Amino acid sequence: MVTSRRNFLRNSSFLAGALALAACSTVTTNGVTTITLDVTKVKNYGQAGLNAAATVASFLSAYPALAPYMAAVTLADTALSGALTAFSTAAGSTLTISYDDATWKTRVDSILTDLDTLAAAIENAIAGSGSILSASVIADAKTAYNALATVISVFKALLGVSDSRSPVG
């Protein structure tokens, strides 16, 4: 059975949602809630963003007229990569972190911010491409964006952060 890239990305978003449920635990003791995150899962969320950037960049790279969007996606990708590298370096072989710890919260929030920036750059590229990209390429780019938006929403939900991102229609 051959799976198209679109079906793979669509199914990946569902899988990401299911896997995310195991990414953290929340414990409340005496009214104080502690969120513990699985370091590997945090890295996987960041990697999902890098994968989405690579997918959309492959679509944009063939069209010089879309260079400004390509530059924005590349910049956001670079920022996310840096945040992910910093997080990975700090985490080392640590299995879990406490999101309630200010230092770790800052590192995780940096990844979330960069994921949001990347998603916005991808969304702008899709909207700004007009008729330059074919309908099938636009559909694939929207699928990549929607998969990333799902990953971001699930990640934020685990942390109790509100998210107003909506799918690209």
Side-chain angles (χ1 to χ4, degrees):
M1 178 175 158
V2 176
T3 301
S4 71
R5 180 177 10 184
R6 182 179 301 158
N7 286 336
F8 172 75
L9 289 171
R10 186 178 306 120
N11 293 336
S12 296
S13 67
F14 296 124
L15 178 61
L19 292 176
L21 297 177
C24 83
S25 63
T26 305
V27 177
T28 302
T29 306
N30 298 327
V32 176
T33 301
T34 302
I35 301 172
T36 303
L37 299 176
D38 180 327
V39 170
T40 301
K41 300 295 184 190
V42 173
K43 291 177 187 179
N44 289 344
Y45 292 134
Q47 187 60 52
L50 297 176
N51 294 346
T55 299
V56 172
S58 72
F59 300 145
L60 299 176
S61 64
Y63 302 95
L66 299 177
Y69 299 108
M70 180 68 175
V73 169
T74 301
L75 184 64
D77 178 64
T78 301
L80 175 58
S81 181
L84 197 54
T85 297
F87 177 84
S88 296
T89 300
S93 61
T94 303
L95 298 177
T96 61
I97 58 167
S98 173
Y99 183 67
D100 301 335
D101 175 277
T103 301
W104 284 113
K105 183 175 181 350
T106 300
R107 289 182 177 122
V108 171
D109 287 351
S110 177
I111 293 171
L112 282 172
T113 299
D114 291 336
L115 282 168
D116 277 334
T117 301
L118 177 60
I122 290 172
E123 186 175 32
N124 289 337
I126 293 168
S129 66
S131 62
I132 294 172
L133 300 175
S134 70
S136 65
V137 170
I138 289 287
D140 287 346
K142 286 180 179 180
T143 300
Y145 168 81
N146 289 331
L148 178 59
T150 300
V151 168
I152 293 169
S153 292
V154 169
F155 194 15
K156 287 183 174 183
L158 290 170
L159 300 173
V161 176
S162 68
D163 189 22
S164 60
R165 182 165 318 286
S166 60
V168 174

